[in-house]
Each structure stands twice: as structure tokens, then as C-alpha cells.
Amino acid sequence: MKRKGTGKGLMMVGSFRKDGITTYMKQGRVIIRSAKSEERRSNTLPQFVQRQKMRHSVALWRLLKTCEPMFTEGMTAYNNFLSLANRLPVVYVKKSLMERTSFLMPGIPVSDGRLPEIRQWLGEVDGTPALITSLKTHEREPWMQLWLYTAVQTGSGGDALVRFSKREVAWTELTLVDGHYVLKDEEFADDMKGWALVLVKGERCSPQTIVTRCTLYQRYTTKEALETAAKSYGGLTVSL
């Protein structure tokens, strides 16, 4: 807040609140109004959808950031993640659960960078569950590393939570199938887990998202889930 000295005393330029009153300057005039509003906060369907989407993205970030993910294309890693996570399906949860629930779903971003993206999908190789990639032998370069992010869904309702972890994968752990790198393990059959293999070289990385068979989140994407969640916030505001 700026202060200007005048011949008639001290004038505040900006705004401040005191004793329930807000004072601010507008077009050279001092405006005084109540700092408390009795008006209900607008909660139209589009606003509610976006707030639910943001709530879930923030919940995911709080858990993912402990793994020190690489997001190098935005102003900050946080903003970079939120921009990408905005593409995820919307999950609707009640107000009482909003701060402590998160859901595993395909497409959760774990990195963003300028190395080529590795296409990945789950399948079987020689009867063994596998994470199959589009990465070919000629695309491997000296000093390249591979980081495997693993997401685990726990709980199924108010205790639903996604835990993230990562580890470096040695190239010797991968198998070549038709010229493509494949990571085989019985773990890849688990439908409450998801994975993303990230290519890293120095400060650069590939943009990758989680692949998973987990469908728990779908229960919270329905019209019924939306109505239940909206009711816990006092209902939706009807647009005129």
C-alpha cells in the first residue's frame, strides 16, 4: 500500500481492511464498503467442475513432488504440472474429503521436457506382464538414464490415496523385443498400480504420463458423483 502526503493529511492509495470496513481508491475517489459479504459464493456448473479439477490436481502434486519430478517447460514445476493435469478426467468428491483424496488414472503427468516422448503401454511378452515402450536401440545415447515412476492406489472411498515413488532402471533390466525396449515383471499385472518410464539426459527429460489399468477413479466421474459432491458444497448456482 502506498501513502501520499497532502496538504490535508495522509491519504491511503491501495486498500486495507479494519473493523469490517474495506477502503480503497478508485478513479481518484476513496471508496468505503463493508469487508463482509452476505452474498453466497457463485458455484455454477463450469465453476464447480474447474474447482474439482484443480482440487484433485493439487492433491496429486502434493504427493508427486516428494519424488522430485522433472517439469522444465513452465514458469515453475508446479504450474507446469497443473497445466498438464488440467487434461485429466474430473473426479467429484464431497467437501469433507476434498483435502485427503486422490485417484490413480491414466495420463497423470510425471515429467515434461524436450527429449522425445516414449510411447508406453501395458501388455505381455512371452507370457510375462510387461511395460512395453516405443524406445528403439538407435535412440539410446551415452549418459542417458531411465527413471521408472510407480503410482499405487490405496483405499477405495474417503481413504483413497495415490502414492508415488521412483527408481533408476538399469539398461540391463530391459529386454529387446522387435527392436523395442521392454520392461518385464509380474508387477505390471497389478491393476491398482501405474507406471511411467522417463528418459533423462542431464537437465533434459522426456514428457511422460502414467499408464495404468486402474479404474477406481471412474466411480467418481459419474453424474451421480457430481450431484453428491455439489450437494456437499450447498448445491450449484443456476446461471441466468
Side-chain angles (χ1 to χ4, degrees), residues 79-137:
N79 289 338
N80 196 175
F81 172 83
L82 290 183
S83 177
L84 295 170
N86 196 50
R87 307 169 187 172
L88 293 173
V90 187
V91 285
Y92 303 104
V93 297
K94 294 187 293 185
K95 186 176 183 179
S96 61
L97 304 177
M98 67 175 297
E99 295 296 334
R100 62 177 191 272
T101 55
S102 55
F103 298 93
L104 175 57
M105 58 181 65
I108 295 175
V110 298
S111 65
D112 190 27
R114 299 193 177 185
L115 291 182
E117 179 183 4
I118 307 172
R119 289 185 292 109
Q120 302 172 43
W121 60 96
L122 296 168
E124 285 192 0
V125 174
D126 299 327
T128 302
L131 179 63
I132 305 168
T133 81
S134 63
L135 187 61
K136 298 180 180 180
T137 52

Side-chain angles (χ1 to χ4, degrees), residues 15-57:
S15 67
F16 64 94
R17 295 187 180 189
K18 184 177 181 181
D19 298 329
I21 298 297
T22 296
T23 303
Y24 60 96
M25 291 293 296
K26 184 177 181 180
Q27 297 178 347
R29 299 171 56 196
V30 178
I31 308 296
I32 301 175
R33 65 174 177 80
S34 171
K36 298 179 181 179
S37 174
E38 302 299 328
E39 185 178 347
R40 178 185 167 192
R41 184 188 187 194
S42 176
N43 194 31
T44 64
L45 178 58
Q47 289 171 332
F48 182 68
V49 168
Q50 189 56 44
R51 287 166 185 163
Q52 288 283 288
K53 185 178 290 190
M54 176 61 75
R55 177 214 66 82
H56 189 239
S57 295

Side-chain angles (χ1 to χ4, degrees), residues 91-94 97 100-104 152-162 191-192 214-221 225:
V91 285
Y92 303 104
V93 297
K94 294 187 293 185
L97 304 177
R100 62 177 191 272
T101 55
S102 55
F103 298 93
L104 175 57
V152 181
Q153 178 76 73
T154 61
S156 60
D159 59 344
L161 200 66
V162 183
D191 61 6
M192 296 297 277
C214 188
T215 60
L216 174 66
Y217 74 96
Q218 293 177 359
R219 301 182 199 173
Y220 300 88
T221 61

Side-chain angles (χ1 to χ4, degrees), residues 12 17 25 54 89 92 99 113 139 144 146 209 221 227 233 235:
M12 300 294 185
R17 295 187 180 189
M25 291 293 296
M54 176 61 75
Y92 303 104
E99 295 296 334
E139 295 173 312
M144 273 188 172
L146 290 171
T209 61
T221 61
E227 291 173 347
Y233 285 84

